[in-house]
Amino acid sequence: MRVRTLAVALLAGGLALTACGKEGSPGDTGSAPTQQVAADVKVDGSPTFEKMKSRGKVIVGVKEDQPGLGYKDPTSGKFTGFDIEIAKLVAAKLGFESDKIEYKAIASQGREQALINGDVDYYVGTYTINAKRKEQVGFAGPYFTAGQDLLVKKDDNSITGPDTLKGKKVCSVTGSTPIQKVKTEGLTEPENIVELQNYSQCVTQLEQGAVDAVTTDDAILKGYASQDPSKFKVVGKTFSSEPYGIGLPKDDKALRDKINDILEAAINGGDWQAVYDNTLGKSGSTANKPVLERY
Ligand code: GLU
């Protein structure tokens, strides 16, 4: 299956944590239409924007193994998904077309440090806004809200929600909010928690029968289930609220305000809906329009 192939390829290449890539084949102009060029756009007082402008391209942190959200096609090297489209939309409004975007795959555990180090200008990858993370990074958004759920084998009727996980092996990812919840709420015994770097690695473990469930956001799990509906199902009882934000360097309020303006215009003007319908919406789920948190 594709997920396993990808996970194996990542491991073989030693790229489980990070990998870089420019998107697209020659001539790919991407899907975010705009007439703007970087020189026309001003974000007064934003050191991050100045850096992007003098570099002549944007470096965006993303996920590469989450189909429907942030996914790198192993053959073409092209990135697709809802988060990728949101990243492109923001870049376009900042004056950077698709060919001026460099994607850098950063796993959940590495996000804060990548932003602190300035390895990426901003991060779009199922990144939940919360108070603890806000001590280290800034967030624009939310641009979507997911909820923690469970992925199990298609024929497993013993796991029906978070209160049925005792005695079951549960896999999630280091540095994520779902692994935190499994631990702090004791959803299963410590020896039954399997902690890996990427969700696709957890899905491989589930496929091989080494774990009984994978837990993370429903939006992520639906992507894996839809790739292999004969093998997996999402339980469908969410037990948290995960508002997705665009991660930013903590003190760059000017860029945060600008990206919130961009998101607001996209939400009110229809671009957000179009992006959603072309990506996550294809799995049949409907999304409430997000309400921005400005701070
Ligand atoms: N949204 C959750 C988080 O930010 C889980 C997904 C992820 O690890 O990216 O931790």
Side-chain angles (χ1 to χ4, degrees), residues 128-137 139 177 250 293:
T128 295
I129 302 171
N130 64 34
K132 187 158 178 275
R133 290 174 178 168
K134 273 191 196 162
E135 290 168 12
Q136 293 186 282
V137 299
F139 286 104
T177 51
K250 183 172 185 252
E293 174 209 334

Side-chain angles (χ1 to χ4, degrees), residues 51 55 59 104 112-121 249:
K51 210 166 76 174
R55 197 198 289 123
I59 303 177
K104 213 176 237 196
E112 285 84 23
Q113 204 56 51
L115 287 164
I116 291 167
N117 292 351
D119 296 341
V120 298
D121 299 317

Side-chain angles (χ1 to χ4, degrees), residues 63 66 83 106-109 111-112 123 125-130 133 146 172-179 197 199 215-217 220 242-244:
K63 293 292 182 70
Q66 298 179 181
D83 284 336
I106 311 271
S108 298
Q109 185 186 21
R111 293 180 286 206
E112 285 84 23
Y123 187 95
T126 60
Y127 198 12
T128 295
I129 302 171
N130 64 34
R133 290 174 178 168
S172 198
V173 158
T174 307
S176 72
T177 51
I179 191 89
Q197 292 298 316
Y199 297 110
T215 187
T216 186
D217 305 335
I220 300 173
E242 309 289 333
Y244 289 174

Side-chain angles (χ1 to χ4, degrees), residues 91-261:
K93 297 294 178 195
L94 292 173
F96 298 89
E97 293 290 348
S98 294
D99 62 346
K100 297 280 185 287
I101 303 175
E102 179 182 325
Y103 296 105
K104 213 176 237 196
I106 311 271
S108 298
Q109 185 186 21
R111 293 180 286 206
E112 285 84 23
Q113 204 56 51
L115 287 164
I116 291 167
N117 292 351
D119 296 341
V120 298
D121 299 317
Y122 57 91
Y123 187 95
V124 193
T126 60
Y127 198 12
T128 295
I129 302 171
N130 64 34
K132 187 158 178 275
R133 290 174 178 168
K134 273 191 196 162
E135 290 168 12
Q136 293 186 282
V137 299
F139 286 104
Y143 61 91
F144 183 75
T145 298
Q148 186 169 353
D149 211 322
L150 300 161
L151 184 78
V152 297
K153 283 259 181 76
K154 183 92 185 184
D155 57 1
D156 185 338
N157 294 318
S158 66
I159 297 175
T160 53
D163 51 344
T164 57
L165 293 174
K166 290 267 162 55
K168 305 280 188 185
K169 284 215 177 307
V170 179
C171 189
S172 198
V173 158
T174 307
S176 72
T177 51
I179 191 89
Q180 201 54 35
K181 203 172 183 74
V182 171
K183 288 177 181 172
T184 55
E185 299 192 4
L187 297 180
T188 190
E189 300 76 10
E191 65 273 20
N192 282 329
I193 300 174
V194 177
E195 190 171 327
L196 299 175
Q197 292 298 316
N198 295 297
Y199 297 110
S200 53
Q201 296 169 335
C202 283
V203 175
T204 303
Q205 296 287 303
L206 179 64
E207 190 184 17
Q208 294 172 348
V211 302
D212 302 299
V214 179
T215 187
T216 186
D217 305 335
D218 54 352
I220 300 173
L221 297 176
K222 279 180 193 168
Y224 293 122
S226 71
Q227 282 209 323
D228 243 321
S230 62
K231 284 189 187 143
F232 306 121
K233 66 181 177 192
V234 180
V235 167
K237 248 190 237 163
T238 55
F239 49 100
S240 76
S241 176
E242 309 289 333
Y244 289 174
I246 296 183
L248 297 163
K250 183 172 185 252
D251 296 322
D252 201 331
K253 180 164 166 35
L255 188 60
R256 190 165 82 224
D257 289 345
K258 176 73 180 177
I259 294 181
N260 275 328
D261 291 345

